Amino acid sequence: MEILRWDKRFSVGNEEIDLQHKMLFNIANYLTTGSGKGYERNEMKEIIAELVAYTDYHFRFEENLLKEHPSIESHRKIHADFVEKVLFFEKEFAQGKEEVNGELFSFLVQWIRDHILVTDIEFFKN
Ligand SMILES: [Fe+2]
């Protein structure tokens, strides 16, 4: 299973945002490796809930920093779509569809990586 590794390509040039992105890497990786280690269902559920809570905090923080950016609305929309998708996975998992895990992990890894490298870096340029 692929995990996220931080390197300087991911830096958006804002120390606090970089720290928050590292935290997102940690939660996503914890979820991915936790499932491989056979974590209990409840534990997985808690980590998913933590992911939901942390992304909520992080997206608000980031959107607030970028609030004067002319394209902030499109960025907000991208964040909202992500949240909606994670909440969907969370609901599926709660309903006992554990097979959503694999799908959730690959979605997370790919989304977080691409979002930082493409969207966040672009938005923090100016
Ligand atoms: Fe973002």
Side-chain angles (χ1 to χ4, degrees):
M1 194 75 75
E2 195 185 357
I3 66 159
L4 289 160
R5 280 178 222 281
W6 180 268
D7 66 61
K8 59 181 191 301
R9 285 181 309 139
F10 287 100
S11 176
V12 301
N14 176 302
E15 212 177 323
E16 175 61 28
I17 292 294
D18 286 351
L19 279 174
Q20 292 183 9
H21 284 158
K22 285 176 192 169
M23 180 67 182
L24 275 183
F25 277 34
N26 287 342
I27 300 173
N29 288 339
Y30 193 47
L31 207 51
T32 307
T33 55
S35 114
K37 285 178 188 150
Y39 279 13
E40 292 294 322
R41 246 190 94 67
N42 274 347
E43 206 159 353
M44 295 302 286
K45 223 170 134 180
E46 267 174 41
I47 308 170
I48 297 174
E50 192 182 333
L51 173 73
V52 170
Y54 194 76
T55 47
D56 183 59
Y57 165 75
H58 166 65
F59 289 161
R60 281 171 204 263
F61 188 98
E62 193 180 274
E63 288 165 14
N64 191 47
L65 278 184
L66 296 168
K67 63 177 185 283
E68 307 298 342
H69 193 286
S71 302
I72 183 62
E73 285 314 318
S74 69
H75 200 145
R76 268 189 225 283
K77 171 87 171 81
I78 293 171
H79 286 167
D81 289 346
F82 172 85
V83 170
E84 200 181 310
K85 189 133 189 198
V86 172
L87 289 176
F88 169 78
F89 281 123
E90 186 182 37
K91 204 175 79 194
E92 295 276 288
F93 186 74
Q95 287 170 353
K97 296 181 190 153
E98 310 206 358
E99 68 274 14
V100 303
N101 268 347
E103 218 182 310
L104 171 63
F105 305 148
S106 44
F107 167 73
L108 274 183
V109 169
Q110 204 176 335
W111 192 93
I112 294 172
R113 191 180 49 211
D114 294 351
H115 181 70
I116 297 173
L117 290 177
V118 179
T119 309
D120 287 341
I121 284 181
E122 184 59 34
F123 271 72
F124 276 95
K125 259 187 201 158
N126 34 53

